[in-house]
Amino acid sequence: MRTWKWMFTAALLVSVSAAAQQQSESQPLTQPDAAAAVQPSAAPGSQPAGSDSQSAKSTTPAPTPSALPQPTTMDQVVDRFIEREHGLMKAMANRTPVVETYLQNLTADPQLGPVPSADHYFLGRMDMGESIDRKDYLKEQDKGMETRLMGGFNKLFKVQYQPLGFSWMVYADRTDFDRSHYDFHYIRREFLGDVRCLVFDVTPKKNSGRGRFQGRVWVEDQDYNIVRLNGTYAPAPKNSYFFHMDSWRLNLIPGYWVPAYIYSEEGDFSAGVKNKMAFKAQTRIWGYDLKKGDKDDELTQIRVDSVKDESSAAQDASPLQAERQWQQQAEDNVIERLTRAGLLAPEGDVDHILQTVVNNLEVTNNIELPRPVRTRVLLTAPLETFSVGNTIVISRGLVDVLPDEASLAAVLSHELAHIVLGHNLGSKYAFNDRMLFSDDSTYNNLGFKHIPEEEAAADKKAIELLNNSPYAQKLDNVGLFLKALQARATQLNALLTTHLGNPLATNGTIDRLAALESKGPALDNNKLDQVAALPLGGRVKVNPWDDKAEMVKTAPVAITSARDKMPFEVTPFYPRLARYGASTTQSTTPATAAANSTPGAN
Ligand SMILES: [Zn+2]
C-alpha cells in the first residue's frame, strides 16, 4: 500500500526559496571503512564494526600520530607535517580513486560578470602511486594531453588542459616535500570549519627546480596533517603555465586527511587587463575504497547472482514471471556493475527523497507496477538521467542545478514514463559476460539511450503524469528551468553531453520536455527572486571514501545581484572541515556513524 506523502521532502529539497541560494558543499561526515584505510589489502566493503582505529593504527604506515610527543616549536611542527604528508602518500599509494574535473571557460558579461563561454569535462581513475597512470572512462581522449606537465597546460597553439593536471595538487610535492627544497614560514592560527589550524607559507628554495609548490598550507593542530593547500607551482616550464589551485582534504579515515576537492581558477576581468585565458574548474575525487581496477581482478570480482533464492513459493516460474525475473537480473547486474566502477552512489539518503517524488507521481496517476521503482544517484556532474529496468538514475550534477521539487519531478517523470510504457524491457545485460569489462571502459560497454520515437512518447507521457500530480501547479518553475538551460545550452556542451542516457539537449537546443519550456514567465536576470537554476555543487555531497551521497544542508544566503545567481556555474569549494567521527552543528551524520565514532580519533 502506497501512502500519499505530500512533499515534506520540500524541507530538504526546496530549501532554496525564491530569494535564497545554496552555497558550495559542506563536509561529508559519514563513516568510512576504517580498516581498509590503513590496510589497503583489506577486503573492501568490510564493515569497520570491530575494526576501529585501534587495530587500524597498529598498521599505520607512518608513526602513530598520537603516540608522538606534541611538537613544542614551529620547527618541530614543520618536521611533523612533512612527515605526515609522506605518510599520507604512502597510505594512499595503492588507491585508484575516480577523478572528475569540470571546467568552464569564462567571458565577461556586463550584467552577469564572468559567465561560461565553453566547457570541458574529464573523468578518469587516478593512480595515487608515484607513477602517474591515467585511465579514462571517456571514449575519445587526446593522447597528447598525457604529458609530464602535470598541473599545467601547454600554450603552444591553443590552450590544452591536462585532465590530470587538476588533480596534481592532491599533494604539495610528490617527490621533494622537505626542508632542503622549501622554506616554511608560520603565519597564524585559523579555524577551518571546526578544525583549528596552523597556517604556513611555503616557498621553494632558489634553484630547487621547476614546478615547485608555492603557496600556503593549513595544518590541523592535533596530528599535524595538511588539510588544505592553496597556491600554484613555480617556475613554469617553457610554453606552459601552472594554474592556481585550492585543494581541500577531509578526515574520512582515522589519522589521515584525504584529498577530496580542488578548485582552480584563472583570469582577471579588471578594466585594462587583457585576459588571454579565464576559467574556473572543480575537481572532485571519490571512490577511494574502490577495488583497484586491475584486469585479473576485474574477472575475479564478477559474481554470478545465483545464490539468491527468489522462489518463495516453491513453484516454477510462469513464462511471464520468468521474463520479469530475467529483466530484474539484467537491472541488478547493471546497477551493481556501475556501483563497482565508482559511478553510482550506494543506495542512501538522496534516494529516499527521489523515491518520495516518484511515489507522488505514481500515486496520483494510479500507477501499479509489478516491481517497485527504485532510484540511484550517478556520481558525475554532466546533467543526465536514464533508467535501467525499474531503476531511475539521475546525476549528481542534475540534482544540484534543479531549482525545486517540481523540476526534479519533471526530470524523473520522463524516466518513469519509460518504465510505464515498457521501454526498459531490454534484458541483454542479464548475461553476465556482458558485465566483464574494465572500469575505465564502462561507457563503451553500457548504454541506455532510447530511440527518438520512445523519447517523444516518454515526454508526452511524462507531461500527462505531471499534469495529474501535485506538481501540476508548479510547472512554471520547470518552464523557467528549461529556459535557463536553453540560455546556456550552447556554452555548456560538455555539461550536457551524457555518457549513458539520452541528452537533455542536442546542438544547443532543449529536447527533453521541450513542451514545458513555454511555461512560466520570461527569464529575467534582474528579477532577484527568480531563481531558475542553481550553481553546481549546492545540493548533493559525496563521501569520497565510500561514495555515499547525501543532501547538503546549507543556510540560505540572500541573492543581492544578478551575479549571485550563477546558474549551472562552477563555484569555489568551502567544505566545513570536521575531525573524523566528530559531529558538528551542521552535521548530517547518521546515528549509526555517530555511534561508531572513535574517541581516540578526536
Ligand atoms: Zn528518455
Side-chain angles (χ1 to χ4, degrees):
M1 282 291 113
R2 287 201 205 87
T3 48
W4 170 265
K5 282 190 199 166
W6 180 243
M7 291 135 281
F8 284 105
T9 56
L12 288 165
L13 196 69
V14 198
S15 59
V16 177
S17 61
Q21 179 170 331
Q22 305 273 14
Q23 276 186 316
S24 62
E25 330 203 339
S26 56
Q27 158 96 354
L29 283 156
T30 47
Q31 203 87 340
D33 181 338
V38 284
Q39 292 176 301
S41 58
S46 62
Q47 285 306 304
S51 55
D52 60 87
S53 63
Q54 280 191 322
S55 60
K57 273 177 185 167
S58 62
T59 51
T60 300
T64 308
S66 50
L68 295 169
Q70 288 293 301
T72 50
T73 66
M74 281 305 160
D75 266 356
Q76 287 172 0
V77 169
V78 170
D79 289 339
R80 183 69 65 83
F81 74 71
I82 287 174
E83 181 195 301
R84 294 300 303 149
E85 187 72 356
H86 289 285
L88 176 72
M89 287 185 221
K90 205 173 158 193
M92 295 293 122
N94 63 350
R95 299 275 157 190
T96 54
V98 178
V99 180
E100 177 192 65
T101 295
Y102 176 59
L103 179 152
Q104 293 179 333
N105 293 97
L106 303 175
T107 186
D109 177 280
Q111 187 195 11
L112 298 174
V115 293
S117 56
D119 63 348
H120 301 270
Y121 182 73
F122 310 105
L123 182 69
R125 290 282 280 273
M126 172 170 57
D127 192 330
M128 299 283 281
E130 215 156 317
S131 66
I132 298 299
D133 177 22
R134 186 168 61 89
K135 288 185 174 179
D136 280 307
Y137 284 111
L138 304 182
K139 290 175 194 174
E140 288 160 36
Q141 275 296 336
D142 182 0
K143 297 286 178 205
M145 288 196 285
E146 194 169 351
T147 74
R148 296 299 296 173
L149 291 178
M150 305 320 240
F153 47 83
N154 298 322
K155 195 180 77 171
L156 303 171
F157 298 103
K158 56 172 187 170
V159 173
Q160 261 193 337
Y161 300 98
Q162 308 284 328
L164 251 190
F166 292 92
S167 58
W168 190 236
M169 209 159 146
V170 297
Y171 302 123
D173 188 323
R174 280 174 203 245
T175 52
D176 302 303
F177 191 62
D178 53 39
R179 284 185 181 278
S180 59
H181 291 81
Y182 290 97
D183 290 319
F184 300 89
H185 301 283
Y186 170 70
I187 303 298
R188 61 165 179 268
R189 285 176 194 275
E190 190 180 309
F191 271 94
L192 291 182
D194 300 337
V195 177
R196 193 170 60 178
C197 297
L198 303 168
V199 184
F200 290 84
D201 275 349
V202 181
T203 47
K205 285 191 190 291
K206 268 197 175 151
N207 305 320
S208 61
R210 280 177 180 156
R212 294 294 181 200
F213 176 69
Q214 180 173 309
R216 181 166 286 193
V217 295
W218 283 254
V219 178
E220 47 89 15
D221 70 351
Q222 204 167 296
D223 295 333
Y224 303 95
N225 292 295
I226 296 178
V227 301
R228 182 186 180 191
L229 306 103
N230 175 299
T232 186
Y233 295 85
K238 215 180 165 189
N239 284 332
S240 66
Y241 295 107
F242 286 111
F243 36 70
H244 290 83
M245 295 193 242
D246 190 24
S247 175
W248 293 80
R249 296 173 179 178
L250 302 178
N251 195 188
L252 301 176
I253 50 174
Y256 293 95
W257 289 71
V258 297
Y261 305 114
I262 302 168
Y263 175 71
S264 321
E265 183 187 292
E266 293 295 336
D268 184 347
F269 291 99
S270 322
V273 174
K274 227 184 151 187
N275 64 86
K276 285 178 181 141
M277 53 160 185
F279 73 84
K280 42 187 185 174
Q282 285 185 339
T283 297
R284 291 157 195 269
I285 305 169
W286 70 82
Y288 278 101
D289 208 18
L290 291 173
K291 268 200 114 174
K292 202 163 178 166
D294 143 35
K295 252 188 208 154
D296 299 335
D297 224 19
E298 282 306 316
L299 296 175
T300 56
Q301 279 172 48
I302 302 301
R303 285 184 285 117
V304 181
D305 290 330
S306 55
V307 198
K308 249 188 283 174
D309 180 17
E310 309 254 315
S311 51
S312 50
Q315 286 171 348
D316 291 329
S318 73
L320 181 59
Q321 282 170 334
E323 178 61 29
R324 283 185 182 150
Q325 276 185 25
W326 186 241
Q327 284 159 6
Q328 176 82 55
Q329 187 177 322
E331 180 181 334
D332 291 348
N333 277 353
V334 167
I335 297 302
E336 195 227 324
R337 188 67 191 84
L338 285 172
T339 308
R340 198 149 40 79
L343 292 172
L344 278 193
E347 204 171 347
D349 273 13
V350 183
D351 295 315
H352 299 149
I353 291 166
L354 301 177
Q355 269 157 13
T356 304
V357 174
V358 171
N359 193 48
N360 288 339
L361 291 167
E362 286 185 275
V363 170
T364 44
N365 284 281
N366 298 313
I367 296 170
E368 288 290 344
L369 295 165
R371 294 190 290 123
V373 174
R374 302 182 294 182
T375 60
R376 293 293 280 273
V377 177
L378 188 70
L379 291 164
T380 50
L383 313 184
E384 73 176 301
T385 63
F386 60 91
S387 42
V388 189
N390 277 20
T391 300
I392 297 175
V393 178
I394 180 169
S395 67
R396 186 203 79 229
L398 184 52
V399 179
D400 274 349
V401 299
L402 292 170
D404 61 1
E405 189 170 327
S407 308
L408 176 61
V411 296
L412 294 173
S413 70
H414 174 92
E415 300 303 337
L416 180 61
H418 278 307
I419 293 170
V420 170
L421 295 172
H423 291 171
N424 292 351
L425 298 185
S427 53
K428 67 173 180 175
Y429 297 122
F431 288 106
N432 286 279
D433 61 286
R434 292 206 166 100
M435 298 296 115
L436 299 176
F437 49 82
S438 65
D439 287 353
D440 47 312
S441 63
T442 300
Y443 288 162
N444 294 321
N445 287 279
L446 297 178
F448 312 100
K449 288 194 168 84
H450 289 280
I451 56 172
E453 290 79 2
E454 287 181 350
E455 281 301 283
D459 269 353
K460 190 162 170 267
K461 182 72 182 174
I463 291 170
E464 199 184 303
L465 298 178
L466 288 168
N467 281 330
N468 288 332
S469 80
Y471 307 105
Q473 306 308 314
K474 295 178 180 169
L475 297 182
D476 282 5
N477 295 356
V478 182
L480 262 178
F481 172 74
L482 293 170
K483 282 173 202 156
L485 188 61
Q486 180 61 67
R488 290 270 165 99
T490 319
Q491 292 79 28
L492 302 181
N493 187 47
L495 194 64
L496 285 165
T497 300
T498 57
H499 300 288
L500 295 166
N502 290 85
L504 303 187
T506 36
N507 301 323
T509 305
I510 301 284
D511 298 327
R512 185 71 54 87
L513 297 170
L516 293 179
E517 202 184 323
S518 56
K519 292 251 180 194
L523 201 59
D524 185 351
N525 290 320
N526 290 317
K527 281 194 175 162
L528 297 186
D529 61 349
Q530 189 189 81
V531 178
L534 304 183
L536 287 162
R539 290 244 191 256
V540 180
K541 63 179 174 182
V542 173
N543 180 314
W545 195 264
D546 59 19
D547 293 355
K548 281 184 187 151
E550 61 179 297
M551 299 305 283
V552 172
K553 285 166 190 162
T554 48
V557 178
I559 286 179
T560 56
S561 81
R563 295 188 180 200
D564 283 348
K565 291 186 177 179
M566 302 185 290
F568 309 106
E569 289 180 27
V570 161
T571 60
F573 291 112
Y574 242 92
R576 184 178 177 88
L577 299 190
R579 293 189 182 279
Y580 176 72
S583 58
T584 67
T585 46
Q586 300 224 331
S587 169
T588 49
T589 312
T592 49
N596 279 341
S597 72
T598 47
N602 291 320

